[in-house]
Amino acid sequence: MARIAFLAKNPKRALGSLAVLVAATGVVVGSGANFTSSSANPTNSFAAGTLTILNSKEGTAVLSSTGAMKPGGTAEVGTVDISNTGTIAGDFTLTRSAITNSDAGNPMSAKLNLTIKDCGEWPAPATPEPCGDGDDVTIQTGGTISSMGSVSLGTFSAAEKHRYEFSVQLDSSATDAYQGDTSSVTFDWNAVQS
């Protein structure tokens, strides 16, 4: 009690003592141990996808005639397998380019009737989809090679593969002017990411 009476008579000393007590309490509380925890997610990696076309006849003809075509005769037929070997889906199209005719006055490409069928998607990587089994879809018909435009083939998902059948027939209206003529064309397969 004597101490309280002393502090009451000397308020500056009381405030000083209180300040020292508060500072000491802060040091004791601030210097205590704390629980801590941390977590990390290292090596977050990113890779761009790919969109690539595998053409089973890359650099070669889908079909060719060896000089036996006649007006209204049997069509020349060939198949090609096209697949998306990339990791992302793509919208595929088929166009023609580089038409060459031996007779510019009577271009044979204007008399070559073209039919293209999508025989369907391969059911498994090593199991080809046959043509002529009833589920083929005609994607180009009623036109000639020279009149062919861009043909949409739809969206191919990653690893999707289709077989296409091309059929070319010399139109029955071809006259003697086309005898011995030749024509060639390039078919171009293109894909754009979906």
Side-chain angles (χ1 to χ4, degrees), residues 56-57 62 77-83 92-94 115-122 129 131 137 139 151-154 156 160-167 189:
S56 66
K57 294 190 175 175
V62 174
V77 178
T79 60
V80 62
D81 299 319
I82 302 297
S83 60
F92 279 56
T93 56
L94 170 64
T115 301
I116 305 171
K117 294 180 181 177
D118 181 349
C119 299
E121 181 180 353
W122 285 37
E129 174 61 24
C131 296
V137 176
I139 58 173
V151 179
S152 174
L153 305 174
F156 282 41
E160 186 172 338
K161 187 176 192 177
H162 286 249
R163 175 162 286 173
Y164 292 93
E165 180 183 82
F166 287 68
S167 175
W189 307 88

Side-chain angles (χ1 to χ4, degrees), residues 9-60:
K9 288 183 185 179
N10 299 303
K12 286 185 182 182
R13 284 188 184 182
L15 284 176
S17 295
L18 184 60
V20 169
L21 182 62
V22 169
T25 302
V27 168
V28 169
V29 170
S31 65
N34 293 322
F35 291 117
T36 62
S37 178
S38 64
S39 178
N41 298 103
T43 320
N44 294 283
S45 299
F46 306 93
T50 59
L51 179 60
T52 52
I53 297 173
L54 179 65
N55 177 342
S56 66
K57 294 190 175 175
E58 180 72 35
T60 63

Side-chain angles (χ1 to χ4, degrees), residues 1 14 25 30 46 48 50-51 66 107 112 120 133 151 157 163 169 172:
M1 250 323 191
T25 302
F46 306 93
T50 59
L51 179 60
T66 57
L112 294 173
D133 62 351
V151 179
S157 58
R163 175 162 286 173
Q169 179 191 39
S172 60

Side-chain angles (χ1 to χ4, degrees), residues 102-103 105-107 174-181:
S102 62
D103 182 351
N106 297 295
T175 64
D176 286 344
Y178 294 91
Q179 285 192 57
D181 285 357

